[in-house]
Amino acid sequence: MTPSMKQAVPNKKSIPNRARMLISCPDQPGIVAAVSQFLFEHGANIVQSDQYTMDPEGGMFFMRIEFDLERLDERIAQLKSDFAESANVFQMKWSLVKASRKKRLAVFVSKEDHCLLELLWQWQAGDLDADISMVISNHPDMQGIVESFGIPYYHIPVTANTKEEAERKQLELLVGQVDAIILARYMQIISPKFIEYFPGRIINIHHSFLPAFVGASPYAQAFKRGVKIIGATAHYVTEELDAGPIIDQDVQRVTHRDNVDELKRIGRHIERIVLARAVSWHVEDRIIVHHNKTVVFN
């Protein structure tokens, strides 16, 4: 595949006049009515609406709406301005984006290719509603694979002595060029300074069912404990290592017959599916983060 083929596969989800709105606010009467009335008065047609409240009294309310609006491109700025007044009444945190505006992703990878390949395959098939702008790695191993998809590959080595300089080079490539970063088995700890540039926009896949078996050799730990299920966790990256808001998890049953290598094989399959699912939900604006939890409208 050549660079000119990079966006050859259209995505069925890209509808020119469709927008998405995410809302979170203290729960109280009238929220749904106010949002629906606002959209009606502006000529919008709601095509999907999901909501969730944490507690009938004193909790938080979350909402995701998709709607169609004629001439969205020229009207979206005014729509945001007009909605701000309603949002203030209900103390809303909110976002309003065009569904057709694909999020630009950077994928970070080290030497293991399974999670990266799953993202590339889904992107190539048009199932991942995003643009993969670049792949960055601390090793050269994946360059041939990535460039065969027509995607730029940047090899930036990282050592204990060069970590700060490596992150500076990474940020030069990333800031203003991508909307989110995906750690597809990138075996480096991201510094707090780096995270500040992309708060709530870095997704990691952890090769165990958090909070169990953190640290080194999780599958060996699991084998020694004789576990009957293994899993994977996709989460947003925060300063606290492997403790950010969890987006998705999955597990598979195993038995005493499965050795460490077999556990790793099963684990790789779970990791690739969980990460791809989490990335898809993020780029489709299906996730609202509240404290250290997520509300996922899927």
Side-chain angles (χ1 to χ4, degrees):
M1 179 177 289
T2 64
S4 63
M5 296 172 63
K6 191 175 175 187
Q7 297 186 39
V9 180
N11 195 292
K12 293 179 292 185
K13 299 171 186 174
S14 297
I15 300 173
N17 286 319
R18 182 155 298 176
R20 300 176 184 138
M21 182 180 288
L22 290 177
I23 295 169
S24 62
C25 63
D27 193 14
Q28 55 193 292
I31 301 171
V32 175
V35 175
S36 300
Q37 182 67 22
F38 172 84
L39 293 175
F40 169 73
E41 290 175 354
H42 285 74
N45 179 44
I46 296 173
V47 295
Q48 185 176 17
S49 179
D50 296 286
Q51 63 194 68
Y52 168 70
T53 182
M54 295 179 65
D55 189 330
E57 296 182 8
M60 289 291 294
F61 176 85
F62 306 92
M63 190 174 192
R64 179 184 186 271
I65 293 180
E66 289 197 5
F67 62 89
D68 293 337
L69 179 64
E70 291 297 323
R71 308 192 322 278
L72 179 65
D73 280 341
E74 59 190 79
R75 299 174 66 184
I76 192 168
Q78 186 62 51
L79 196 68
K80 290 179 180 180
S81 177
D82 292 347
F83 187 71
E85 183 176 346
S86 297
N88 288 337
V89 172
F90 292 95
Q91 304 173 56
M92 292 179 181
K93 292 182 179 179
W94 60 282
S95 64
L96 175 58
V97 299
K98 290 176 54 182
S100 62
R101 194 272 188 189
K102 295 181 184 292
K103 290 181 174 56
R104 302 162 298 173
L105 306 180
V107 182
F108 280 37
V109 66
S110 289
K111 289 187 173 183
E112 295 192 54
D113 64 1
H114 56 288
C115 288
L116 169 66
L117 286 172
E118 185 68 32
L119 294 173
L120 292 174
W121 291 333
Q122 292 203 18
W123 169 80
Q124 185 183 50
D127 294 332
L128 179 60
D129 192 23
D131 286 331
I132 299 180
S133 299
M134 66 186 76
V135 173
I136 295 176
S137 179
N138 55 329
H139 297 282
D141 302 52
M142 306 297 168
Q143 184 165 358
I145 294 173
V146 171
E147 291 183 346
S148 73
F149 284 82
I151 297 172
Y153 185 91
Y154 299 98
H155 172 216
I156 303 177
V158 181
T159 68
N161 293 328
T162 65
K163 186 174 181 64
E164 185 174 347
E165 175 63 14
E167 287 197 345
R168 185 189 65 77
K169 292 179 180 178
Q170 292 167 351
L171 289 170
E172 287 179 354
L173 294 169
L174 297 167
V175 175
Q177 302 302 312
V178 301
D179 301 297
I181 297 169
I182 314 304
L183 306 182
R185 294 308 307 276
Y186 181 64
M187 307 308 289
Q188 295 288 327
I189 295 174
I190 306 298
S191 74
K193 182 178 179 181
F194 187 100
I195 295 170
E196 288 178 2
Y197 284 89
F198 297 92
R201 293 185 290 151
I202 305 175
I203 298 175
N204 185 41
I205 184 68
H206 195 280
H207 43 234
S208 69
F209 194 64
L210 291 176
F213 306 120
V214 298
S217 305
Y219 293 113
Q221 294 180 53
F223 178 74
K224 289 179 181 178
R225 289 287 302 275
V227 300
K228 302 308 179 195
I229 59 171
I230 60 172
T233 301
H235 64 95
Y236 287 113
V237 175
T238 61
E239 292 186 18
E240 188 176 356
L241 184 64
D242 296 329
I246 292 172
I247 303 169
D248 189 36
Q249 296 179 294
D250 209 344
V251 296
Q252 183 169 325
R253 298 192 68 82
V254 296
T255 75
H256 58 278
R257 294 184 175 87
D258 297 312
N259 59 28
V260 174
D261 287 339
E262 185 65 11
L263 295 183
K264 289 180 179 179
R265 184 193 67 79
I266 296 169
R268 285 194 295 270
H269 175 73
I270 306 171
E271 290 166 22
R272 66 200 301 167
I273 299 303
V274 169
L275 179 61
R277 202 156 54 201
V279 174
S280 180
W281 292 340
H282 177 87
V283 301
E284 293 174 11
D285 303 296
R286 296 186 178 276
I287 306 169
I288 299 177
V289 176
H290 178 64
H291 299 317
N292 204 50
K293 294 183 178 181
T294 60
V295 174
V296 182
F297 294 107
N298 53 27

